[in-house]
Structure formats: C-alpha cells, structure tokens
C-alpha cells in the first residue's frame, strides 16, 4: 500500500478515532455482500432483468436487483469511474485540501477530475467515515480499493461491520497486480455499472496509455544504468518502497526500469524505514517522491542536510510519484509519459 499509509497500516486502526460509535438500530439493513458463488463472469449487468452482479477481487459476487445508481466510493476509485463514465453520489478518502486561512477547498491529488462541490464527502482523512451521512445517501453499493487481502481501503476497521450492513461492497486490488491488469478490472467494473468503455474517448485514452508504456519500455532499455529509488518523506523517517507490491512500480520493473530494492523490509513487507542520518544507504540517480498530501515535499525537505546531499537531489533528479494512482487510462498514461521524460533526461550521478 502507499508508503505513508503503509507506515501506519498496522497501527492507524488502533490509534485514530473512527468518528464515534453510532447507534444505528433498525436502520441497518443486513444487505451482506451477496452470493459468493462464481457466476462465470467477473462483471455482468442484465439489461433484460435489470439485475446487476459483479465478482470483485475478494472473490465475492455482489448482486443487486438493479444496476446501482447511488454509489459511494473511495475518492481515487470514484475518480477512475468518472473517467470511464460512471458518476458517484458520495466519496470517502482524501478529497480536498483546505486553506488554513481562507478555508477554501481545492481538490486533493487523489480526486482526479471529480467535482468536489457535487459529491458528498463523508470522510476526508484516514479513520473518518460518517455513517449517518452515508445512510442519508441511501447507497446501493460501496466501492473501494484493496491493498491487503479483504482489507477495505479507508473503511475504518472499528466501523466496518456497521458500514457493510448498509449496502453491499466491492473491492478491487490496488497492489500486488501490475497496472494494466488493475486498469482492466476498473474498466470491467465501470462497464458493469453501465459505462461505455468502448467509447471513442476511452479508446483514445487506452491507446495513449499503451503508447506511453511502449515509450517507457524503449527508454528503459537505453537507461539500464540509471537507478531509480521510490521514496516517501516523513518528519523522522524516510521510507524506501519495495517495487514488487505497488501496481505502478511493479509495472515499471516489467518495462525494464532499474528500481532500487530495499534489503530490510518492515514486517508488513512494503518498505524499509531509514533514519534521516542513513538516508544515503542506497545509491540512486533518480528519486520518485511520494506526492500525496501529508508527505514531505522537496521544498520541505530542503531543511534536511542529508537529503540535500543526495546525488539525485543535487542533480535535480527528484520527481513526484503519484503513489495512489487513479486507475483510469486517462490518468495513468501521463504517469508513464512523465517518467519516460524524466529518464530520457536523467544522468548517472550515483
């Protein structure tokens, strides 16, 4: 899972308040997650009967009497569905950033092209999920990512049982699978929900993604000596991510990019924690730095002498990494294009 979230994935659920226990009483309808039996297709919507079903990445088949219209989703998933042509009613997860002075809200990096003024935000930070507001939306399905098996991303563990009684849930892998397969699953889900995934725009976006992947493959062939480190900054720690679990870095490796593999992973198996005194443990020519809200960015990192001394930093070869991609072709294609450009201009400095 993403580096700053990974760092606290084992403790966040026990530390952060989940918004208080709500006495929901009889309003909690025991919808369940539907029939788990394999229907023989990962996604289907019956136009004749009006029923809907989708087999998610937990292996659970969700069934409803009609194709869901009132959809509540994790922000990044909602943004991906929008690109495929599916609108959601509500979101949870990083959706907006508020100016501390003016209180004006601007979209978070994970919100994509969502109009944050038109969706109901029932939680904007980890551990925040307003069940009362969720109920008001009369959700027909809840959709989110999955970074660990059966763990619903940004659904607070303390509230999960109550939340999952309100509407059926769908979870799609956001880790452990290469980016193209994850994109296909989001396309499958969007198609099941009524989107035209063969529209001219989606086909154009997919062609752009495929062209970007081929470009990146060719660039990687000529830059095998360039070492790329995947990192995330926190006040006391620098996280070096393993490339084999995130969908983007796994795909980058498949394309031939030389990514630093940390040797001493934490118990979760996602990253190695380095003190700022030891931030130079791994030689790197390029650093891809976590760009999410809440992580330290290059301007903030200037205050750390050991960071400033890194060869990649001195060479100006630090680039933002979209750690939690919006899984649509429209949003993932630029990630590959930007990395290709960065590597084309990168020099060996380590």
């Amino acid at each position: 899972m993403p580096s700053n979230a990974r760092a606290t994935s084992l403790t966040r659920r026990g530390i952060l308040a989940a918004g208080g226990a709500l006495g929901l009483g009889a309003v909690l309808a025991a919808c369940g997650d539907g029939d788990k039996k394999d229907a023989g297709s990962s996604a289907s919507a019956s136009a004749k009967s009006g029923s809907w079903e989708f087999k998610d990445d937990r292996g659970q088949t969700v069934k409803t009497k009609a194709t869901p219209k009132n959809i509540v989703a994790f922000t990044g998933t909602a943004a991906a569905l929008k690109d495929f042509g599916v609108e959601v009613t509500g979101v949870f997860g990083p959706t907006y950033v508020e100016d501390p002075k003016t209180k004006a809200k601007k979209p978070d990096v994970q919100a994509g092209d969502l109009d944050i003024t038109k969706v109901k935000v029932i939680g904007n930070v980890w551990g925040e999920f307003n069940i009362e507001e969720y109920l008001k939306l009369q959700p027909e399905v809840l959709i989110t990512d999955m970074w660990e098996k059966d763990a619903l991303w940004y659904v607070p563990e303390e509230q999960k049982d109550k939340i999952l009684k309100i509407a059926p849930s769908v979870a799609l892998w956001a880790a452990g699978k290469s980016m193209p397969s994850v994109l296909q699953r989001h396309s499958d889900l969007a198609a099941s929900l009524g989107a035209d995934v063969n529209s001219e725009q989606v086909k154009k976006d997919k062609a752009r993604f495929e062209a970007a992947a081929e470009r990146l493959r060719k660039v990687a062939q000529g830059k095998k000596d360039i070492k790329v480190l995947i990192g995330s900054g926190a006040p006391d720690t620098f996280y070096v991510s393993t490339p084999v679990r995130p969908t983007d870095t796994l795909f980058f490796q498949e394309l031939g990019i030389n990514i630093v593999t940390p040797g001493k992973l934490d118990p979760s198996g996602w990253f190695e924690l380095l003190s700022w005194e030891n931030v130079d443990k791994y030689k790197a020519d390029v650093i891809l730095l976590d760009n999410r809200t809440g992580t330290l960015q290059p301007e903030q990192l200037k205050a750390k002498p050991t960071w400033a001394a890194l060869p990649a930093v001195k060479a100006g070869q630090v680039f933002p990494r979209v750690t939690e991609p919006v899984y649509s072709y429209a949003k993932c294609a630029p990630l590959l294009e930007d990395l290709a450009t960065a590597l084309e201009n990168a020099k060996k400095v380590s």
Side-chain angles (χ1 to χ4, degrees):
M1 68 189 68
S3 52
N4 71 339
R6 290 198 305 263
T8 52
S9 63
L10 302 180
T11 59
R12 268 179 165 170
R13 291 179 175 87
I15 293 176
L16 294 179
L22 300 176
L24 302 180
V27 292
L28 292 177
C31 298
D33 277 326
D35 187 358
K36 297 181 182 180
K37 184 172 63 177
D38 188 347
S41 173
S42 63
S44 66
S46 173
K48 294 182 180 179
S49 67
S51 63
W52 177 81
E53 68 178 64
F54 183 84
K55 186 175 181 180
D56 76 358
D57 290 348
R58 294 170 298 181
Q60 297 185 9
T61 299
V62 181
K63 294 182 178 181
T64 59
K65 293 181 179 180
T67 302
K69 299 300 180 185
N70 283 349
I71 301 168
V72 176
F74 168 67
T75 302
T77 312
L81 289 174
K82 179 177 178 59
D83 286 346
F84 282 113
V86 176
E87 299 287 347
V88 306
T89 304
V91 296
F92 56 94
T95 308
Y96 61 83
V97 179
E98 190 173 80
D99 186 293
K101 294 182 179 179
T102 66
K103 302 301 180 181
K105 297 176 180 178
K106 66 176 183 179
D108 186 272
V109 294
Q110 295 188 58
D113 291 333
L114 288 176
D115 185 339
I116 64 172
T117 68
K118 293 184 178 179
V119 292
K120 180 65 178 179
V121 182
I122 62 173
N124 192 54
V125 297
W126 183 270
E128 183 179 82
F129 192 111
N130 190 317
I131 299 184
E132 291 179 330
E133 293 299 325
Y134 181 53
L135 277 166
K136 291 178 183 177
L137 294 175
Q138 299 182 351
E140 295 170 274
V141 67
L142 179 147
I143 303 173
T144 190
D145 286 345
M146 185 169 61
W147 291 85
E148 300 283 358
K149 182 64 175 176
D150 297 330
L152 303 183
W153 193 232
Y154 271 81
V155 175
E157 189 68 23
E158 309 84 44
Q159 296 173 287
K160 184 176 72 173
D161 291 344
K162 293 178 180 179
I163 292 168
L164 296 185
K165 287 179 180 178
I166 298 170
S169 61
V170 168
L172 296 182
W173 275 117
K177 306 285 184 181
S178 186
M179 183 177 276
S181 65
V182 175
L183 283 165
Q184 183 60 55
R185 290 294 287 144
H186 283 73
S187 176
D188 292 343
L189 176 59
S192 80
L193 291 168
D196 179 7
V197 297
N198 292 312
S199 68
E200 287 303 314
Q201 185 59 55
V202 174
K203 287 194 292 185
K204 182 179 178 181
D205 293 338
K206 186 175 183 179
R208 180 183 174 187
F209 175 82
E210 292 171 344
E214 184 57 31
R215 175 189 170 194
L216 189 53
R217 187 191 306 277
K218 291 179 179 178
V219 172
Q221 290 175 350
K223 295 283 186 173
K224 293 185 181 297
D225 61 331
I226 299 295
K227 294 181 179 180
V228 178
L229 184 143
I230 312 299
S232 182
D236 300 318
T237 310
F238 186 70
Y239 301 97
V240 179
S241 297
T242 178
V244 299
R245 298 193 71 180
T247 67
D248 59 336
T249 56
L250 178 56
F251 188 42
F252 298 161
Q253 271 199 327
E254 291 172 352
L255 293 174
I257 295 173
N258 183 3
I259 301 180
V260 172
T261 300
K264 190 177 180 181
L265 299 179
D266 83 312
S268 74
W270 281 93
F271 54 86
E272 180 173 354
L273 289 75
L274 299 179
S275 67
W276 284 105
E277 290 76 12
N278 297 315
V279 73
D280 61 351
K281 178 177 179 179
Y282 297 105
K283 303 299 182 183
D285 305 290
V286 169
I287 297 174
L288 298 184
L289 188 68
D290 188 346
N291 78 330
R292 289 171 306 160
T293 301
T295 63
L296 298 184
Q297 299 306 305
E299 190 64 30
Q300 298 164 303
L301 290 172
K302 286 181 179 179
K304 297 188 178 295
T306 52
W307 168 262
L310 293 175
V313 176
K314 291 196 290 186
Q317 295 182 169
V318 177
F319 305 98
R321 176 196 173 211
V322 179
T323 306
E324 294 187 52
V326 170
Y327 287 111
S328 69
Y329 296 109
K331 295 298 184 294
C332 287
L335 307 186
L336 306 188
E337 293 166 348
D338 290 346
L339 181 54
T341 299
L343 291 180
E344 284 169 348
N345 298 314
K347 298 178 180 179
K348 184 70 177 175
V349 295
S350 64

